[in-house]
Amino acid sequence: MHRKFYAYCRSARQPVRSAGRPAGMVHAVRFVLICAGTAGTLMAFSLQKPSLEKVFSRINNEVMQRSRAYETLVDASGVVGHRLTGSPNGTRAEAYAYNLLKSYGFKELRYEPFEVEAWMRDTVTLSIVPSKSDNFREVPVVALAHSPIEAHIQGEIVDVGNGLEGDFAAVKHKLKGKIALVNIGIAAPAQGARNLHRSEKTALAIQHGAKGVIMVNLVPGNVLLTGTASVTGKLIPIPSVCISLESGLQLRQWMQEERSPLHAMIAMSNKSRKIRARNVVATLPGATYPDEKIIIGGHLDSWDLATGAIDNGIGSFAVMDIARTFRALKIKPKRTIEFVLFMGEEQGLLGSKSMVQALKESGQLDKVRCMMNLDMTNDPTGLNAFGRNDMLPFLNDVGEAMKRTEPAFANQMMNQAGLHSDHQPFMLEGVPVVGMNGHLSKEVLDCYHANCDRINLVNEEQLKNTVRYTSMLLYALADADDIPTRRLNDSKTRDYLVAQGLRTPLQIANEWRWKE
């Protein structure tokens, strides 16, 4: 999640990571499929339905009888623990994934190293006090990633509510030199309101001159949420911290009761240093179009408050079990498939950005016909064209074939794009995105980025559903005679992002490269 996709379908991973891991938290289902292919009008393509459904049936039987996704996720949760990029645990996770894929018989297997600024938390305290008092109250708190290495600030608290652009505009004359109090999600949202990611809210606070940010989690139960507060993956100039819903309610009540402003004192120490992390890539060569490839990935890294079973164990270990399934069935699709375990997603989509940059520099990006990204994807019920109307007929045919193979698959179609996961670097380079819709229970979503994200949250049967349905779609794409879409040029990419309502969040994140 670093943000995991919005209602996905990590808005910023909130109840839809509707939009990154929530605009409401559709982060629950961040399965993203990015496709780049042949151009223009709907082109003829053949799914060869009888043979397609025969392979779907084989996939279905293999996964239902011999899936190892849950088994290996349980093992890794105990052997590795959390999978924070740059930590010893992160390195162990990379090796675990590499060795697991090797045990499945992959001969073409590699690490793709990249350099990152690895951030690790150390200590943090938050004290609240009226301006004319020494009645300090200590508040339980956790630092958000990429906060400064050292910070010791004191300032008046200004409540910015949900922290959307209009909320900041309403207090813009009050915020300079103050500390912003902001909800991570949207409390009592207005109809049509779309959440921003915590990093985008922090960016707005910086733009308005705030000296610090206190984020309020909206999950009951004294849950502290972590995650990055940086839109770039680099250190931010002001401290950003998270407090629980209960602490936020008490703080706001205290603000109403006090006649003088409340002040906050934030003291923190963190660590940041350059390290080399590694994506793990296993290749299944294509039989007919070996130079064309489909990339299916999921981020292996997690935050360090728990073992990251949901975010993103269920995605990354599904990817590895899909790889196992293809090897076990000796499937040889027309196109090459690359199974990728990304590192650094939580700290700014670092692994996927590195891969896209390398593909651009080598002139290979156009050869990536599709990219599928599983991030908190669970128990899919349908497909999402991500605003790419030219993919709708193809996806509908694939979905109907899946439904004939397994009538429990609902084949519910969506058509909306989002940000904040490893599909984003591909999408910003014009690669179309399609994906799948799934669901996670509220109890599971409430543990997103929190110390309760552990293996007990994982539903084994729903994880199998992710593996088998995703395997079917992956095969359909890899073995289709053609794919009815192509990578957009720069101007059409801009128009696509505008049509999907993504210009504003990208501008806030300083990732909007087009001049108005």
Side-chain angles (χ1 to χ4, degrees), residues 160 163-171 204:
V160 193
L164 305 181
E165 284 189 295
D167 299 318
F168 275 99
V171 297
L204 286 171

Side-chain angles (χ1 to χ4, degrees), residues 93-294:
E94 295 162 2
Y96 188 101
Y98 184 98
N99 291 332
L100 185 60
L101 290 166
K102 184 177 181 179
S103 75
Y104 293 156
F106 281 91
K107 305 300 182 183
E108 296 187 33
L109 184 61
R110 68 185 186 273
Y111 290 115
E112 286 192 351
F114 58 96
E115 190 173 72
V116 296
E117 185 78 15
W119 183 96
M120 300 177 195
R121 75 187 76 256
D122 192 356
T123 63
V124 61
T125 60
L126 171 63
S127 303
I128 307 295
V129 61
S131 59
K132 298 180 179 179
S133 171
D134 58 0
N135 182 23
F136 285 87
R137 296 188 186 182
E138 300 298 322
V139 178
V141 64
V142 64
L144 294 179
H146 299 103
S147 288
I149 302 304
E150 293 287 340
H152 300 274
I153 67 166
Q154 178 176 345
E156 180 182 329
I157 301 173
V158 175
D159 193 343
V160 193
N162 290 326
L164 305 181
E165 284 189 295
D167 299 318
F168 275 99
V171 297
K172 63 182 179 180
H173 300 301
K174 304 177 182 179
L175 197 54
K176 187 174 182 179
K178 310 292 178 56
I179 296 175
L181 179 67
V182 183
N183 295 326
I184 284 182
I186 301 180
Q191 186 175 5
R194 189 174 190 177
N195 195 26
L196 297 175
H197 187 259
R198 77 189 79 83
S199 64
E200 294 160 353
K201 295 182 181 185
T202 300
L204 286 171
I206 294 170
Q207 291 173 20
H208 285 82
K211 63 165 60 174
V213 180
I214 300 172
M215 295 276 182
V216 181
N217 195 10
L218 297 184
V219 173
N222 292 299
V223 176
L224 293 176
L225 177 149
T226 191
T228 186
S230 170
V231 292
T232 63
K234 299 178 181 179
L235 294 179
I236 57 177
I238 66 174
S240 187
V241 300
C242 176
I243 62 176
S244 69
L245 169 64
E246 290 77 8
S247 293
L249 292 173
Q250 292 172 1
L251 177 53
R252 283 177 165 134
Q253 182 178 355
W254 197 13
M255 292 175 72
Q256 292 179 353
E257 293 172 351
E258 291 292 331
R259 295 183 178 180
S260 58
L262 289 185
H263 282 63
M265 298 176 62
I266 300 174
M268 64 167 56
S269 295
N270 301 297
K271 301 175 182 177
S272 184
R273 60 186 176 86
K274 288 281 187 180
I275 59 93
R276 286 173 72 82
R278 302 171 295 180
N279 297 329
V280 180
V281 184
T283 301
L284 183 67
T288 307
Y289 312 118
D291 289 339
E292 296 185 12
K293 71 173 79 171
I294 294 175

